[in-house]
Amino acid sequence: MGTYGAAWQSGGYCGSGNVEPLIGSLCGRTAVVVGSAFTVFEELRYVLTRYVEPIVFAVNDIGMFLPKVDHWVSLHADNLGVWKAVRWLQARNMEACKYHTPDPRPVTDYCWERLTPMFCLSGYFAMQIAYIMGAQLVILVGCPGEPVRRFFEAGARTDFGYGGSQFNGDQGVRAQLEHEMHRLPDFKNKVRSTSGWTKTYFGAA
């Protein structure tokens, strides 16, 4: 992993942007990364009964509908401003949610520029951020890492399987994750999941 020009290094990763104050800030805390699988709300209710005051990382669309969001993460920087506007229509404009993207945008509070290497799914990117921020436990909720429908869909996508199909790019998604967890076993040991392939791979929350 090249570190030339990096502004920070932590936990096996490096990058630039304005994120250095976040590194280690969640030491001792539990982070919940909330994705968009159709079972997400049931899974989240289960987790919230077991863990006291976890730090909630919303991923993509789901952030519009959660009762509490501490950090909102997306690789789709241009969409995040629209999603934020929808959430604010629900009188949540005063909450202290922070917005994370890999590219600078007006909505972005923390820009993870040149994060090396960066995961290629927003859910795994959020997991990565929680780990770099020092969370002692990172729980994937609604992030099964396999082809299931999202909470707003009638059926699963036929063009992409989140690492769990033979579609173009899918095998690379899972290969990247497995490579990183092999490279950083402490990272893998901190992650758990509530469903799907990620539950089998990381262990149950």
Side-chain angles (χ1 to χ4, degrees), residues 157-178:
R157 291 175 62 176
T158 59
D159 61 340
F160 188 62
Y162 306 94
S165 78
Q166 300 301 312
F167 295 124
N168 290 338
D170 258 0
Q171 292 180 324
V173 168
R174 186 166 291 181
Q176 182 194 36
L177 177 68
E178 292 177 327

Side-chain angles (χ1 to χ4, degrees), residues 86-103:
V86 172
R87 184 172 181 83
W88 278 29
L89 289 174
Q90 303 173 57
R92 293 185 174 128
N93 58 308
M94 298 302 293
E95 67 183 0
C97 175
K98 299 301 181 183
Y99 297 80
H100 302 251
T101 62
D103 305 302

Side-chain angles (χ1 to χ4, degrees), residues 97-117:
C97 175
K98 299 301 181 183
Y99 297 80
H100 302 251
T101 62
D103 305 302
R105 294 292 188 277
V107 69
T108 305
D109 293 303
Y110 294 104
C111 184
W112 294 82
E113 293 180 280
R114 299 177 62 190
L115 175 57
T116 306

Side-chain angles (χ1 to χ4, degrees), residues 76-196:
H76 311 286
D78 290 327
N79 293 350
L80 194 53
V82 178
W83 293 329
K84 176 181 179 179
V86 172
R87 184 172 181 83
W88 278 29
L89 289 174
Q90 303 173 57
R92 293 185 174 128
N93 58 308
M94 298 302 293
E95 67 183 0
C97 175
K98 299 301 181 183
Y99 297 80
H100 302 251
T101 62
D103 305 302
R105 294 292 188 277
V107 69
T108 305
D109 293 303
Y110 294 104
C111 184
W112 294 82
E113 293 180 280
R114 299 177 62 190
L115 175 57
T116 306
M118 180 185 295
F119 283 111
C120 54
L121 291 184
S122 292
Y124 295 158
F125 175 46
M127 174 186 72
Q128 186 178 27
I129 291 173
Y131 166 70
I132 294 170
M133 289 177 66
Q136 72 172 11
L137 178 64
V138 182
I139 303 173
L140 301 178
V141 171
C143 301
E146 60 187 22
V148 300
R149 68 178 178 87
R150 290 172 286 185
F151 69 94
F152 53 85
E153 295 173 321
R157 291 175 62 176
T158 59
D159 61 340
F160 188 62
Y162 306 94
S165 78
Q166 300 301 312
F167 295 124
N168 290 338
D170 258 0
Q171 292 180 324
V173 168
R174 186 166 291 181
Q176 182 194 36
L177 177 68
E178 292 177 327
H179 176 270
E180 284 301 289
M181 296 304 108
H182 178 74
R183 185 176 73 88
L184 300 170
D186 182 61
F187 188 173
K188 184 181 180 183
N189 290 338
K190 291 183 176 183
V191 181
R192 296 293 183 271
S193 176
T194 51
S195 65

